[in-house]
Structures are given as C-alpha cells and as structure tokens.
Amino acid sequence: MPRAEDDWDSDDDSEFGADGVDTSVHLGLPDGSVEDPTDLRDAAVSRIGGSPALLTRPEPPFSSSFCKICNQPMELLVQLLSPFEDSHFDRALYIWGCSKPSCQTKSSPKGGSVRAWRGLRYNSKYAAKLEARKRRKAEAEAAARLATAEKIKPKVNPFSKSSASASFSPFGGGFGQGFGAPEPPTPSSPPPPPAEDESDSDSDAELDTSSLNLALESSSLTASSWASCPTYPPLYLSTQVEYLPTASDSKSKLPKGVEVQELDPESKESGATWGPEAYENSLNVDQVFERFTKRVAAEGEQCVRYELGGTPLPFSSDQVFDALFPKPTPKPGDAVPVTRGDFKVTNTAPQKRIYSLSSPKAQALVPPCPICSSSRTFECQIMPNLLNLCRKPAQVIRKVNEETGDVSIITKDLGMEWGTCLIFSCEKDCCLPEGSKECWVEEVVLTQWDH
C-alpha cells in the first residue's frame, strides 16, 4: 500500500510502489456528449458543463451562479450526484467558474470566481428503506446477544450440595428429585432474523434515483432565469477508482530531470521511491508541483478527484498549501543542517507536513458551517484537464484609429487560470431548520492559481 495520505514530504513521494494499487480516491472522467434531453434534466446524471439539473424546488436564486468579482452569471463547470452514506437526502454538488481574465484574482485563494453549492432534497422512499434496514440490523444484533448469553449461562451441577438440598423434597414427589434437578435443556438456536421484504431490499445500499428522474421530468428551465445562464457543451462525467501503477510502469511518465532510485535492501519498503537528480537540489524546484504532476500523470484525463473526508492533492507551494499542510513546530534538541565542521549534525531528515484543518491559518480559510457550526471537511477538487474541456473561443476586438482610419485586430484569450480548486463541505451535511425537506447551501472553495 502507498504511504499514508495525510502527510507530505518534499523528499519522499512513494505513491508508486512495487505493485500497483487502488486508492480511496474516485476520479471523475469525461465520457462523451450529453445529447438526451431527459439526461440533461435529470439530477442523477453527473456532468461537465451544460445547464444545472436543480435538485431543490422552488429553484434556488439565480444569483447563486454569479461571480463575486464581476457580478455576472458564470458557467457550470461540474455537477456531481454525491449523497452521503445512510442519508435520507438526495444530494448534488454544483460548481461554477468565471472565465473572464479580470476575475482570475491570483492574490487570493477565495476570490469568488469559483463557487460551489450543495443541494439537498428529502427522499422518502429511500428513507423508508434505510429505516427498515436499521430495524433488521437491530433485531439481528439483539438475537445474537441473546444467543451469546445462553451459551455462557452456567449449568447446574446435579452432585453439588447446594443443588441437592435445594431440589430434594422430604415429602416425595418422584424418584428423580432426590438426586437434584435435571440438566437444563440445551439452548435453542436464536430465531432467524425476519425475512427481508423485497420491497425494502437494499443489499447494495445504492441511492434510489428513480424519484429524481420522475420529479424532474415535469420540470424545465425554459421559463426560468437559469435558462439564460451561459453554458459549456455538456459531457457525461463517469467515475473510476484511482489506480497507481507499478514503479516500472511509471518510469515512462517521469517529469524531465527525475529518475526512479532503488532503495537499499535493508530499508526497502515499497520497492522504489521518487528522488530528484543531484543537480536539481540547487535549483528552485517546487516539489509540491512536481508531486502533483507525477500523481496526476497516472490518469491524465481526470477532471475531478473525490474523496469525502480525505486529503487534498496540493497543486503548488502557496498560502493554501502552507495553511493546510503547516510546517511542524521544531522540538528542543532537533538538529539543524550546518556547514562548519565544529558542529555535529545528528538528524537532517526532512520533517513531514501533516494535513490538518485545525491550525489558525486553515480555520481562517475553511471556517465552520455557518448553519450548524459543524466543521467542514474536504470533499473533492477539480483538476486542470477541466480547463481543456471548458474553454471559450478567443475574443476578437476590432479597433479603428480615428486619425488614420487604420483598423487593428486584437485577439484576447478567455479562460480560467487556476491549477486546482478544493471544495470543503459541512461534515454533517446539515439541512436546517430541523425537519426541512430541501436545502441550498454554499460551501468553501480554495483556489490554487497557476502562476
């Protein structure tokens, strides 16, 4: 297995081991154009681009899609069907992005040109299935406890003094009573759990999305302000588990100037490790970006990385990285590399950075949920390949010189310039006030810019 994902070390990148391995990350990949109008209206269909299939009714405010910088509607980048496990709510995540060059505010990770919202809607049919499953589980656990108690129950010894005196009657009553009570009957097997009603069957614990389709079939954005929202061509978004190839398979995907170094047999853990060539140590190389590039190279078409409660993959060494992966506090006695021979260096190994949302800088960037005050957790991030799919044609500007009458043509590129955007959502997936059937809440987006 690759090393734990909750730490980061610029000199240790061992995702690629001797054997390929599946990680806990689910990748979102483009999977062809969406041409079926029914799929376009179905909130159960995850997509890239297109118009949003809104989960809540009535529709949320159209201003939810507005850029916080230019105050204009943005294009939908991604819509994800992302229900929480054992939740009574259908859930979708919507991410919008502004493509205007003036809105790519690289000085701030929370500029507002990328926004994410989660929509919730109560699914009564699926809620009934969950309650039936919980009830069956509780009954099975109670039966198991009863069987265990019967097995450990002590049996009566017919030859013990206490047993004979207690069971013997001086007034008769049968020959057997003078020698103690008969042995207790063998405990019967626990009753089988109640038969599972096929109508409540949920062996795969999958979300019943038929209700989404039926409810949204009758709805349309044609008479809504959402119909005027600019769009990219819609694409299906399919998912697959991230697979990290073997060390030998990864050699062909190495960035320039990087080689695979075999470990010493005594310290070999995963068969190979990543290491820069010696001359690179003196260059200003962003090791975080190098690691990002190597990890993404395993599946270059990925547009989304989804791992609820997992660890984000940082794009570069910026303020977001420093906040989420803070430098460890030096401990008394830690050695510091020096050049003079008068000093003895006892330990020059790089200290690992641990992913944490508890530091003051992280809490400032990822505050608690404003509705229920619960902590937010990492949910997903959108990746650079999404920029290749959500691209606008260059803007052609025609200018005429009033004095000479000369005409000049200026081509202005339009497009987003981020490296990755990290989405953090309420860990409780709250829907307040209590008893609400629908919810529309904005979540936190941290942008790492492509400088």
Side-chain angles (χ1 to χ4, degrees):
M1 293 292 290
R3 65 173 174 78
E5 286 299 319
D6 60 349
D7 57 20
W8 192 94
D9 182 353
S10 62
D11 292 335
D12 177 21
D13 190 1
S14 55
E15 286 95 356
F16 299 95
D19 299 315
V21 64
D22 291 333
T23 74
S24 56
V25 178
H26 285 77
L27 303 180
L29 308 175
D31 196 18
S33 300
V34 183
E35 299 178 356
D36 189 339
T38 301
D39 287 345
L40 290 173
R41 297 193 302 268
D42 189 355
V45 176
S46 297
R47 70 200 66 186
I48 296 171
S51 297
L54 298 169
L55 199 59
T56 57
R57 289 290 182 271
E59 295 174 353
F62 183 47
S63 59
S64 301
S65 67
F66 284 17
C67 174
K68 291 184 178 180
I69 299 173
C70 66
N71 201 35
Q72 295 298 313
M74 301 183 288
E75 292 86 357
L76 178 72
L77 300 180
V78 172
Q79 175 176 334
L80 297 172
L81 181 68
S82 51
F84 277 25
E85 186 177 3
D86 294 337
S87 171
H88 293 178
F89 287 85
D90 297 329
R91 181 180 187 272
L93 191 66
Y94 305 83
I95 305 173
W96 282 274
C98 185
S99 60
K100 293 183 180 179
S102 59
C103 296
Q104 312 304 305
T105 54
K106 299 184 178 182
S107 60
S108 172
K110 300 176 69 174
S113 61
V114 180
R115 301 178 69 179
W117 294 76
R118 60 179 171 96
L120 301 178
R121 188 178 67 185
Y122 187 75
N123 187 329
S124 57
K125 184 177 179 180
Y126 189 65
K129 286 188 175 183
L130 286 177
E131 291 304 318
R133 186 173 63 182
K134 290 179 181 179
R135 184 172 60 254
R136 293 192 299 269
K137 182 178 179 181
E139 292 172 352
E141 290 176 350
R145 287 194 298 268
L146 178 61
T148 301
E150 289 291 341
K151 288 181 180 180
I152 63 175
K153 183 178 179 180
K155 296 182 179 181
V156 178
N157 184 355
F159 302 103
S160 65
K161 181 178 179 180
S162 59
S163 175
S165 60
S167 58
F168 176 74
S169 172
F171 303 103
F175 293 101
Q177 282 186 317
F179 298 96
E183 290 187 13
T186 302
S188 59
S189 301
E196 183 174 325
D197 186 352
E198 292 185 0
S199 63
D200 290 338
S201 177
D202 191 30
S203 58
D204 294 331
E206 294 180 353
L207 174 65
D208 179 12
T209 57
S210 59
S211 62
L212 298 181
N213 214 343
L214 294 174
L216 295 173
E217 281 290 337
S218 59
S219 65
S220 174
L221 293 177
T222 54
S224 166
S225 55
W226 285 95
S228 62
C229 187
T231 61
Y232 294 112
L235 302 171
Y236 288 107
L237 186 68
S238 63
T239 60
Q240 71 177 37
V241 175
E242 182 187 39
Y243 174 78
L244 298 181
T246 63
S248 59
D249 291 341
S250 64
K251 288 183 178 180
S252 61
K253 300 177 181 180
L254 286 173
K256 184 178 180 181
V258 176
E259 63 178 3
V260 174
Q261 299 176 341
E262 291 296 331
L263 290 173
D264 184 270
E266 296 182 357
S267 61
K268 184 170 290 188
E269 297 177 356
S270 58
T273 184
W274 293 98
E277 292 183 354
Y279 67 84
E280 281 195 344
N281 291 332
S282 61
L283 302 178
N284 185 21
V285 176
D286 188 343
Q287 298 291 349
V288 178
F289 178 71
E290 289 291 297
R291 183 174 187 235
F292 179 91
T293 302
K294 286 180 280 191
R295 183 68 175 263
V296 174
E299 178 47 77
E301 291 190 0
Q302 59 183 279
C303 295
V304 178
R305 295 176 63 86
Y306 191 94
E307 188 185 15
L308 181 63
T311 302
L313 180 63
F315 177 76
S316 61
S317 299
D318 59 2
Q319 57 180 311
V320 173
F321 173 73
D322 288 335
L324 302 184
F325 297 82
K327 293 181 179 180
T329 304
K331 299 179 182 179
D334 284 351
V336 178
V338 294
T339 56
R340 294 181 58 185
D342 297 340
F343 298 90
K344 181 180 180 181
V345 179
T346 58
N347 180 19
T348 59
Q351 293 178 304
K352 292 184 177 181
R353 294 193 179 204
I354 306 299
Y355 168 68
S356 174
L357 290 177
S358 60
S359 68
K361 289 184 178 180
Q363 290 182 348
L365 291 178
V366 187
C369 174
I371 298 179
C372 68
S373 300
S374 298
S375 299
R376 282 188 167 105
T377 187
F378 172 73
E379 182 169 1
C380 66
Q381 63 188 103
I382 51 179
M383 304 297 286
N385 188 44
L386 191 62
L387 302 180
N388 298 325
L389 303 174
C390 300
R391 186 180 296 275
K392 283 189 171 183
Q395 181 179 4
V396 179
I397 303 176
R398 183 174 181 271
K399 287 189 175 182
V400 179
N401 190 314
E402 296 181 356
E403 296 181 357
T404 63
D406 294 338
V407 178
S408 59
I409 303 297
I410 301 176
T411 302
K412 188 175 183 181
D413 291 332
L414 297 176
M416 297 165 283
E417 300 177 9
W418 42 260
T420 189
C421 298
L422 316 177
I423 288 82
F424 299 82
S425 56
C426 174
E427 64 179 5
K428 292 186 177 180
D429 201 32
C430 64
C431 189
L432 297 178
E434 195 72 27
S436 298
K437 299 296 184 181
E438 295 183 348
C439 191
W440 182 254
V441 182
E442 185 170 15
E443 296 295 5
V444 171
V445 177
L446 297 185
T447 303
Q448 290 193 278
W449 298 101
D450 186 7
H451 295 282

